[in-house]
Amino acid sequence: MSQFAALPDPGLAQTLDEVAVCLRLLKTWAGNPSYETITARVNTRRPPGEQVGKTTVVDCFRTGRRRLDPDLVVAVVEALHADPGYTNQWRQALRVASGESQGAGAQVRVLGSLPALPAGFVGRTPEIAPGPVTVLSGMAGSGKTTLALQTAHRLATTRPFDHVLAVNLRGSHADQPPAGPDAVLDGFLRLLGVPGQHLPHGLAAQSAGYRARLSGARVLVLLDDAADDSQVRPLTAPGPGSVTLVTSRRALDGLTDARHVPVGVLRPAEARELLLTAAPPGADPAAADRIAETCGYLPLALARVVAHMRDRPGWTLADHADWLAERRRSGRLDPAVRQALDVSYRNLPARARELLRLLAHHPGHSFDAPAAAALTGAPADDALRELSAQNLLLPAGPGRWAMHDLVRVYAAGRSADEDRRSDRRAALTRLFDHLLTTGADEAELDAAAEYAAAEGRPLHATRLRGHQSAQ
């Protein structure tokens, strides 16, 4: 009889040494057969030209190895416990331990409680009334995670939940790929008490096991930074009384049964409160308003200013406002804001990236699809939809979009780095000609004329002013 009541769980092994330790535990569990017996069993499954010796098998059980032959280790596992599901767990553990897998359950950090609210948190109004599944979507840095945490903490104090589960799905992580739903379910099921040897295998079986485990329970699930609809669907909490909160930079329109809440920037009063709360007593509210406006009321940008304030206790709010305005005039963004936008930019198809760069040169506060097409010289509907889905463009009325100020600064920098000057001039020529031949309003023509003059395009500036007067 086995010495251990349960099979050792390879999913707990993070290194090659831990794999070897787990393999020794499995050998003991299996009745401690001799290495000769294990070698004979392994060789019965291998062709004549791939037979191994006892020393090679023994090496699999030794720590201090820099490399392991994963196929041989799997063969040893099969020789000790020939269960296909258990063997698959070992294959996954070997990929994790050798650094080949980024989406394994062992590398997805799942939590059985809510993360704490960030320091200096300022609540938004009005509060969200979530449904069974609620998706909070918005541009990078808009405070989706903080708003979801605020909502989740409020729910947890007002409703009795049997389980709380949380995970960062890494949909927009700078260095790691999105977490696979199978990896997350593996972690959730472990948190819910399912032993490693009883974990289901395959996404469909994992999802069914997850729902069965939570049947009749009231569950709060926080799925932060989702990449797409397919990543979220298997992870939503089942049953009445359960709530799933999802955050994403994408709109996730495919989740048709969810309540969709767009998350914009802070209101001016909320941004002022955030800054004045962090500032010394007696700080100038007008300077706080200047900072908030320069940040475009974006929570991430405001949080970075607060960090800057803490590092320079001798500065006044007016000093910070002047510093920030000077950075903006030179086209510089805070590194954290730029990195957040970098991730969104990299996730775009090439045509959408090109359009985003060129839209930074549109002189108006908003634009329509024909103006976007004029800039690129080709139909832009698909690219506009993608930019809107990524919340890099904001709705500005029927058939019109706008760019957040910080997105425009970022896109202009990208354009300076990636677009030839001749291509930018050609795009502007197409746009100016488009505005001259369509019914652009007076404000748009005036902005275009000023922009043309600033760009050294006096002929277009004169024509745009003349067209404006003719109207």
Side-chain angles (χ1 to χ4, degrees):
M1 176 171 294
S2 299
Q3 180 177 342
F4 294 90
L7 280 166
D9 183 0
L12 301 177
Q14 301 290 296
T15 66
L16 293 180
D17 278 355
E18 290 174 352
V19 168
V21 170
C22 193
L23 200 61
R24 291 202 297 268
L25 292 174
L26 177 61
K27 180 175 180 291
T28 304
W29 181 93
N32 210 16
S34 67
Y35 288 113
E36 290 85 355
T37 300
I38 297 172
T39 302
R41 292 177 185 173
V42 167
N43 284 330
T44 60
R45 298 170 177 265
R46 299 170 76 91
E50 298 179 15
Q51 301 287 294
V52 295
K54 172 188 166 185
T55 302
T56 303
V57 170
V58 170
D59 282 344
C60 294
F61 293 82
R62 289 177 177 161
T63 56
R65 300 288 303 278
R66 293 186 179 181
R67 261 189 336 184
L68 281 174
D69 179 348
D71 291 335
L72 179 57
V73 173
V74 168
V76 170
V77 170
E78 290 176 330
L80 295 170
H81 183 56
D83 175 77
Y86 188 61
T87 302
N88 284 336
Q89 290 183 43
W90 274 88
R91 288 195 178 98
Q92 185 63 68
L94 287 163
R95 287 196 290 269
V96 172
S98 61
E100 296 176 7
S101 174
Q102 292 291 337
Q107 292 191 338
V108 177
R109 187 185 180 204
V110 296
L111 302 175
S113 61
L114 293 173
L117 281 167
F121 168 73
V122 172
R124 297 198 189 205
T125 54
E127 293 182 339
I128 293 173
V133 179
T134 300
V135 177
L136 310 179
S137 61
M139 68 174 284
S142 62
K144 302 176 292 295
T145 297
T146 301
L147 182 56
L149 278 172
Q150 172 198 9
T151 304
H153 278 277
R154 176 171 53 82
L155 288 174
T157 59
T158 57
R159 301 188 193 180
F161 288 105
D162 301 302
H163 302 285
V164 175
L165 300 170
V167 64
N168 182 340
L169 294 176
R170 300 195 307 254
S172 55
H173 197 283
D175 303 313
Q176 298 182 23
D182 54 341
V184 178
L185 285 171
D186 181 282
F188 278 176
L189 287 168
R190 291 173 189 272
L191 276 180
L192 293 169
V194 178
Q197 70 273 18
H198 293 152
L199 288 169
H201 309 289
L203 183 58
Q206 286 175 312
S207 183
Y210 173 65
R211 296 182 181 284
R213 192 77 176 182
L214 295 179
S215 178
R218 293 165 61 91
V219 189
L220 174 60
V221 178
L222 176 61
L223 306 175
D224 187 30
D225 193 18
D228 54 36
D229 308 342
S230 62
Q231 189 187 32
V232 170
R233 284 194 187 93
L235 307 177
T236 59
S242 293
V243 174
T244 302
L245 294 171
V246 186
T247 73
S248 179
R249 293 188 186 184
R250 296 190 65 89
L252 304 187
D253 292 330
L255 299 176
T256 54
D257 293 335
R259 183 184 178 207
H260 292 268
V261 179
V263 179
V265 297
L266 292 179
R267 299 179 181 185
E270 294 168 339
R272 177 193 288 185
E273 180 187 354
L274 174 64
L275 293 167
L276 292 180
T277 299
D284 181 8
D289 291 341
R290 284 174 56 202
I291 293 171
E293 185 176 3
T294 306
C295 289
Y297 306 99
L298 187 71
L300 175 59
L302 290 165
R304 297 300 298 166
V305 173
V306 168
H308 191 260
M309 291 163 56
R310 289 175 181 148
D311 289 341
R312 292 159 179 82
W315 287 29
T316 67
L317 271 189
D319 292 331
H320 289 286
D322 293 340
W323 165 81
L324 193 63
E326 185 175 344
R327 286 179 63 87
R328 184 58 41 80
R329 282 192 294 270
S330 63
R332 288 182 292 166
L333 292 175
D334 180 271
V337 175
R338 185 174 61 249
Q339 183 185 53
L341 292 172
D342 272 339
V343 176
S344 292
Y345 182 78
R346 289 200 302 267
N347 287 337
L348 295 171
R351 292 297 300 275
R353 290 198 298 268
E354 178 193 17
L355 178 58
L356 184 71
R357 297 194 304 268
L358 294 177
L359 283 172
H361 303 290
H362 191 286
H365 294 297
S366 67
F367 49 85
D368 56 14
L375 279 167
T376 60
D381 292 338
D382 289 345
L384 283 170
R385 277 193 292 270
E386 182 63 26
L387 291 173
S388 181
Q390 289 277 8
N391 284 293
L392 289 168
L393 295 182
L394 309 172
R400 298 188 71 83
W401 295 268
M403 298 178 76
H404 187 277
D405 288 346
L406 299 188
V407 175
R408 185 183 289 271
V409 172
Y410 173 83
R414 278 286 186 175
S415 182
D417 290 340
E418 299 181 33
D419 296 326
R420 296 182 300 178
R421 179 172 173 78
S422 59
D423 291 337
R424 295 198 302 269
R425 287 184 64 86
L428 281 173
T429 297
R430 291 191 298 268
L431 176 63
F432 293 152
D433 290 343
H434 164 75
L435 295 176
L436 285 166
T437 57
T438 58
D441 62 31
E442 184 174 340
E444 192 168 14
L445 288 169
D446 184 55
E450 290 186 12
Y451 194 81
E455 286 287 307
R457 313 286 289 273
L459 179 59
H460 270 105
T462 300
R463 292 177 63 199
L464 287 161
R465 290 193 182 101
H467 193 76
Q468 178 184 2
S469 300
Q471 287 186 330

